[in-house]
């Protein structure tokens, strides 16, 4: 019995050993086969991507890549904060820059202290469109202002960076305040793009001077040579300040010139506001053909606008800004086929402007007047950032409104009588005294003022407005959107510049350099500025 059991156990052990050897052999076989397949696949894939289509891996990788655009700030200006605007002690400066409105723009300020160490503060950055267009990315680039809290000894310059590291900081020298006497009323005009209408320019300047303005700031990008020379003559007389307003640079993946709302007027108005703050009380923001006049122009007298505005600010002591409607007025420019010169120019054509729209509420057509110390930004048709609790106050058109002299309008809907003859008489008398100071230029034959191309722009504007009602917008209102079929065969000048860039952290700062006035490109266009210097091998 014992012998039988032992033989049985021995047989079982032999069977177990045989099965174990077979299982091990099977696992090894399958491991070898799978490894061989994987190796063959890898070799084949490597051979395929190396010799047939090496971009296949890149295309697969692009599916998982994310673009990090970072901050790219185009510096439009830097200014010292006027001490009269401060409610706390200290030294403050404002950086005005253009940036992508879809992202935040952190900015740090570095100023040298008495102990020769840097005071590092984070700037307060505000978008000038905040509250009005911040929820819309249709036109993604917009103006911003950053206010820096500096050491009290910072008198000439300081540094800015996108990081709190001084190694990433760029040197900034704010614009020195212009030495001007205090002005009761200053006018900031919209920038001049491809501007050739010198007769309307003279009308705008003379009318604002007659109505109480003592200084007019005109940004210029491109204009006819005659227009620019007239501005220079006014500048010599201390009436006009010409501000250069070049195009912005085209970056590696975007063109800010085509992404800024309303032709960059908002950005230029903010720049002008900080420029005039130290020496102005009331600032008017207007196009060259918009004017504040008494409700009844037949009662016009010199200095009326200043008195109107003073009365309104006295009536609304909490107002930081006044928002006016403007009415379209038929404006028929003088029809002179020959001998167009300053000596032969007069304002008789205003007598033909006898129709205007009735007083009604229309939000899009507005103009802004501000108390310079109470606001920090203007959104062209509205005020943006108010200071110290001041507010925007809407003025009913039955109380006061702007007159928009539409030179492209032959007819005006809903007309009512208007008498501008007293205004024409007042301007003619003023012009006769002014023309003598133009010396040799007054008898020169100037280019004919053409308004036909504005019909193309009116149709383009109508198309853009129609798109807004469809809730699908393909264009932003910039000077490069609307095409004019009329070639401006006029001798023009343009403001040109170059740009330098500074890599700060993962972001960039861009500064215009070598700003100059030169002959324009075709059709009175300003040239696109190139990047000519930078501190990094990546361009912005």
């Amino acid at each position: 019995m014992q012998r039988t059991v032992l033989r049985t156990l021995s047989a079982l052990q032999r069977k177990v050993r045989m099965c174990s050897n077979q299982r091990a052999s099977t696992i090894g076989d399958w491991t070898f086969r799978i490894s061989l397949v994987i190796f063959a696949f890898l070799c084949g894939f490597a051979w395929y991507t190396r010799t047939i289509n090496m971009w296949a891996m890149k295309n697969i990788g692009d599916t998982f890549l994310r673009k990090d655009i970072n901050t790219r700030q185009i510096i439009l200006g830097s200014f010292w904060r006027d001490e009269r605007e401060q409610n706390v002690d200290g030294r403050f400066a404002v950086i005005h820059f253009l940036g992508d409105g879809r992202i935040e723009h952190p900015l740090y300020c570095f100023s040298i202290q008495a102990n020769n160490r840097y005071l590092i503060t984070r700037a307060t950055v505000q978008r000038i469109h905040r509250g009005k267009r911040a929820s819309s990315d249709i036109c993604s680039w917009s103006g911003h202002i950053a206010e820096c809290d500096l050491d009290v000894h910072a008198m000439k310059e300081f540094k800015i960076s996108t990081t709190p590291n001084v190694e990433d900081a760029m040197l900034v020298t704010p614009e020195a305040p212009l030495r001007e006497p205090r002005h009761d009323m200053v006018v900031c005009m919209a920038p001049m793009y491809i501007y050739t209408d010198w007769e309307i320019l003279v009308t705008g300047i003379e009318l604002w001077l007659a109505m109480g303005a003592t200084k007019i700031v005109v940004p210029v990008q491109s204009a006819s040579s005659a227009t620019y020379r007239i501005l220079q003559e006014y500048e010599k007389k201390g009436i006009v300040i010409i501000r250069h307003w070049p195009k912005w640079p085209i970056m590696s993946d975007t063109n800010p010139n085509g992404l800024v709302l309303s032709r960059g007027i908002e950005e230029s108005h903010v720049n002008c506001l900080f420029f005039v703050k130290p020496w102005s009380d009331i600032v008017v923001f207007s196009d060259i053909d918009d004017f504040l006049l008494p409700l009844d122009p037949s009662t016009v007298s010199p200095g009326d606008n200043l008195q109107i505005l003073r009365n309104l600010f006295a009536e609304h002591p909490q107002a930081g800004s006044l928002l006016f409607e403007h009415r379209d007025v038929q404006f028929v420019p003088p029809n002179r086929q020959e001998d167009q010169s300053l000596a032969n120019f007069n304002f008789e054509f205003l007598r033909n402007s006898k129709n205007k729209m009735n007083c009604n509420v229309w939000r899009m057509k507005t103009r802004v007047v501000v108390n310079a110390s109470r606001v920090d930004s203007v959104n062209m048709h509205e005020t943006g950032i108010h200071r110290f609790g001041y507010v925007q106050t809407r003025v009913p058109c039955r109380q006061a409104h702007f007159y928009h002299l539409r030179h492209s309008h032959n007819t005006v809907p809903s007309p009512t009588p208007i008498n501008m003859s007293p205004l024409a008489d007042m301007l003619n008398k003023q012009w006769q005294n002014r023309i003598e100071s133009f010396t040799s230029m007054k008898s020169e034959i100037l280019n004919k003022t053409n308004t036909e191309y504005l019909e193309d722009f009116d149709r383009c504007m109508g198309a853009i407005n129609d798109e807004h009602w469809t809730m699908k917008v393909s264009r932003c209102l910039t000077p490069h959107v609307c095409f004019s079929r009329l070639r401006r065969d006029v001798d023009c000048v343009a403001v040109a510049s170059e740009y330098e860039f500074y890599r700060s952290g993962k972001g960039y700062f861009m500064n215009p350099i070598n700003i100059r006035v030169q002959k324009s490109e075709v059709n009175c266009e300003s040239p696109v500025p190139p990047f000519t210097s930078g501190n990094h091998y990546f361009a912005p």
Side-chain angles (χ1 to χ4, degrees), residues 487-522:
R487 299 282 292 188
R488 296 173 189 81
D489 295 325
V490 178
D491 182 32
C492 286
V493 297
V495 175
S497 71
E498 298 163 357
Y499 268 81
E500 62 178 359
F501 66 88
Y502 191 93
R503 173 86 166 185
S504 176
K506 293 184 178 180
Y508 292 89
F509 295 113
M510 288 159 278
N511 268 323
I513 56 174
N514 194 22
I515 300 175
R516 61 201 180 273
V517 177
Q518 64 181 38
K519 186 176 178 58
S520 72
E521 295 189 340
V522 176

Side-chain angles (χ1 to χ4, degrees), residues 178-192:
L178 193 66
R179 292 188 175 182
E180 281 282 332
R182 198 76 183 169
H183 290 268
D184 293 328
M185 185 168 70
V186 175
V187 180
C188 285
M189 291 296 182
M192 284 188 171

